[in-house]
Amino acid sequence: MSKQTNEELDKIRHSTSHIMAYAVKELFGDVKFAIGPTIEEGFYYDFDLPAVASEKEGLIPQTFSPEDLKKIEKKMEEIIKKKLEFIRSEMSPKDAIAKMDSQPYKQELIKDLEKAGEKTVSFYKVGEFEDLCRGPHVETTKELGHFKLMKIAGAYWRGDEKNKMLQRIYGTAFATKDELQKYLKLLEEAEKRDHKKLGKELDLFSFHDEGPGFPFFKPNGMIIWNELLDFWHKMHTEAGYQEVKTPIMLSRKLWEVSGHWMNYRENMYESKIDYMEFVIKPMNCPGGMLIYSEDIHSYKELPIRMGEIGLVHRHELSGVLSGLFRVRVFHQDDAHIYMRPDQIKDEILGVLNLIEKIYSVFGLSYHLELSTRPEKSTIGTDEAWETATNGLRDALNSTGKEYKINEGDGAFYGPKIDIHIKDAIGRTWQCGTIQLDMNMPERFNLNYIDSDGQEKRPVMIHRVIYGSVERFFGILIEHYAGAFPTWLSPIQAIIIPVSEKFADYAKEVKEQMLSVGIRVELDDSNESLGKRVRNAEKQKVPYILVIGEKEVESKSVAVRKRGEGDLGAKKTDKFIEEIKKEIEEKK
């Protein structure tokens, strides 16, 4: 979409969120309104509903139900049909606070604007509903109407669990009916691919109340996990990386030096050992820098590329946990590259080249975004930030690929390139990141001896490609809809003898395949042939090999390939040769 189209879509969605709030006011009476912004795929609005009377418990908090969404949608349609205007007005913060005397959340927002130096605040009125809002909005409600309310959730006011829990309604809206229907169809397809559902059906992973946000990987899941890591190790060895491993818990002092204690503490788990304060690492970089600092390095050694599949823990609120996509413990496929300033461009291009090689194996396309220095809470000098940002920009420009600039979205210690992959149904996911850092080497006093015999500061790259291995696993489940390519599939082939009298040959075939490393199973159960085939299809096994009298006589197997159906009989040796090649080439 063009920038103009995005702006128009935002106006439609923002205006629709006001209509939703208007409908809630009409239906539920004395509602307290919080915020109602647009988000990437629609909008939401947070409400504090009036308490309702209960015979047993007196007044109790009121919550929305799925049936309420239908009522709200109907009321929204009634409001939209009136072709009402959105009318803007402005006033001083003082007058605005008085105007919002029954709306405490709005008053709090206005006071914040006043503290920030705002001399006026704006309101938008549509029909009998008026809301504090910067705008912009559509001119009239006749430009609206293609919307859908999606779900209900709880949300703490301002995202702080110490504040009151509010009721949030999510919705989406589009300019046309066709665009809305296309989006809803995409959601239907996404629901079929839901990694939480498929993870259970394919017996890949699970979660338990005893460890919310802490995934358990089962035997089938571990096969895929290990294949992903084996592939990662192979690609990184070829690219000149050395692998390291750093402790999961390190002294608080280390995190004070790195800046994480001041900038990231709310996400960190803490502990004490022998009266000393420790932190369970939320990221791997400080430990990696301790390894670099152990030795005196020459300019001839650089670049040094250190990779680590590091286990990290981060505190996430329970309300945002979501399968493998948002967990409290995960593995980062981190790497830290230490280099001279003249090597920046080549090393960034090297990382981008490695990303291209890895993502292409999974059939994932991607786009690039450059995120620059945040306005607040950063470390390092202006000069260091400028050098780092220019280094990333120069490397991106030399690729010839288009990229987007996200002003102020960098990490607190440096700018970054974010890599957004696109899956099989067109959704994008931010996975890979390349962060150029000239500040951490300064904070940790890292050096190398240059050609002139003087100590110099190395420049450092932090980078991930999978990102979180757990999250990447979940993305792949949805990308493939659970039908993993043969090299990743927990079971690569299943052998089904037509009857018991062909079981001996079926076992021979199984042993042949196992001997060359193919993951194969034999289903010689008493179920009918049709049911055994259907069971294998439900498991999304790439190849089903049926063995009957003809196959025994000709030393062959009848091959059914997932997605293609019956391929006919093939000599067993020939089939094993073909599937082995397919696995090795990761087709």
Side-chain angles (χ1 to χ4, degrees), residues 494-497 521-527 532-533 535:
I494 192 161
I495 302 167
I496 303 178
E521 289 191 359
L522 170 65
D523 184 355
D524 57 357
S525 65
N526 293 325
E527 301 285 357
R532 283 181 286 162
V533 168
N535 287 341

Side-chain angles (χ1 to χ4, degrees), residues 55-323:
E55 289 184 9
K56 294 182 179 179
E57 302 176 56
L59 290 176
I60 59 172
Q62 185 176 184
T63 58
F64 291 118
S65 69
E67 290 71 28
D68 289 331
L69 292 190
K70 295 175 185 177
K71 295 175 185 175
I72 295 167
E73 283 184 336
K74 186 176 179 182
K75 179 60 70 172
M76 289 171 69
E77 289 168 357
E78 292 173 8
I79 294 168
I80 287 169
K81 285 178 182 176
K82 294 178 181 178
K83 300 179 182 179
L84 302 169
E85 284 186 74
F86 282 84
I87 302 169
R88 179 184 171 94
S89 62
E90 293 183 357
M91 64 187 68
S92 69
K94 182 179 179 181
D95 290 341
I97 290 169
K99 182 183 182 71
M100 293 283 106
D101 60 344
S102 64
Q103 295 292 334
Y105 302 107
K106 298 297 181 182
Q107 286 185 326
E108 186 175 326
L109 293 171
I110 295 164
K111 288 174 184 176
D112 286 347
L113 292 171
E114 188 174 31
K115 285 179 185 176
E118 297 288 342
K119 302 300 182 186
T120 61
V121 296
S122 57
F123 288 81
Y124 276 84
K125 185 174 183 181
V126 56
E128 298 301 314
F129 178 73
E130 193 166 11
D131 201 1
L132 173 74
C133 184
R134 290 184 185 274
H137 287 277
V138 297
E139 290 187 11
T140 74
T141 59
K142 69 180 180 181
E143 298 177 55
L144 309 177
H146 309 296
F147 67 90
K148 178 71 177 173
L149 301 189
M150 308 301 295
K151 64 178 180 179
I152 305 159
Y156 292 109
W157 169 235
R158 295 198 148 179
D160 188 338
E161 59 189 339
K162 295 176 183 176
N163 290 334
K164 186 172 184 178
M165 174 72 78
L166 306 176
Q167 294 290 299
R168 176 173 294 179
I169 298 178
Y170 286 94
T172 193
F174 289 87
T176 67
K177 182 179 179 180
D178 285 347
E179 287 174 312
L180 175 62
Q181 292 303 318
K182 185 179 178 181
Y183 175 74
L184 295 177
K185 190 174 181 180
L186 174 66
L187 290 186
E188 285 180 21
E189 179 60 31
E191 189 175 347
K192 293 176 191 174
R193 294 169 178 259
D194 184 344
H195 77 283
K196 298 185 290 295
K197 177 173 71 76
L198 288 172
K200 185 175 182 179
E201 290 174 4
L202 300 175
D203 208 25
L204 301 177
F205 64 90
S206 60
F207 285 90
H208 298 272
D209 292 340
E210 292 80 358
F214 297 86
F216 290 69
F217 283 88
K218 304 175 85 171
N220 282 349
M222 283 306 301
I223 290 171
I224 298 171
W225 180 274
N226 287 326
E227 287 288 355
L228 289 173
L229 294 197
D230 287 348
F231 176 55
W232 187 93
H233 287 125
K234 179 177 183 294
M235 296 299 290
H236 282 74
T237 299
E238 291 175 359
Y241 287 76
Q242 308 166 64
E243 189 171 8
V244 298
K245 183 176 176 62
T246 61
I248 195 172
M249 185 183 288
L250 293 163
S251 166
R252 167 183 161 175
K253 292 179 181 178
L254 179 74
W255 304 98
E256 289 175 346
V257 173
S258 70
H260 290 92
W261 186 257
M262 289 72 77
N263 293 283
Y264 205 71
R265 186 178 176 184
E266 69 275 10
N267 297 100
M268 297 160 70
Y269 294 112
E270 303 165 39
S271 186
K272 281 191 177 182
I273 303 175
D274 297 334
Y275 306 104
M276 289 178 59
E277 291 185 83
F278 282 77
V279 169
I280 300 173
K281 67 177 180 180
M283 46 196 69
N284 301 305
C285 30
M289 279 176 273
L290 291 182
I291 291 178
Y292 179 91
S293 69
E294 289 178 27
D295 299 309
I296 298 172
H297 299 282
S298 164
Y299 72 98
K300 293 180 181 179
E301 293 178 66
L302 304 183
I304 294 173
R305 307 181 188 105
M306 292 185 188
E308 176 177 14
I309 304 286
L311 181 65
V312 301
H313 291 70
R314 297 182 185 177
H315 176 60
E316 300 282 2
L317 297 176
S318 59
V320 301
L321 298 176
S322 177

Side-chain angles (χ1 to χ4, degrees), residues 5-16:
T5 305
N6 277 332
E7 288 175 352
E8 291 300 316
L9 188 56
D10 276 349
K11 284 204 294 188
I12 288 169
R13 288 173 171 173
H14 194 183
S15 302
T16 305

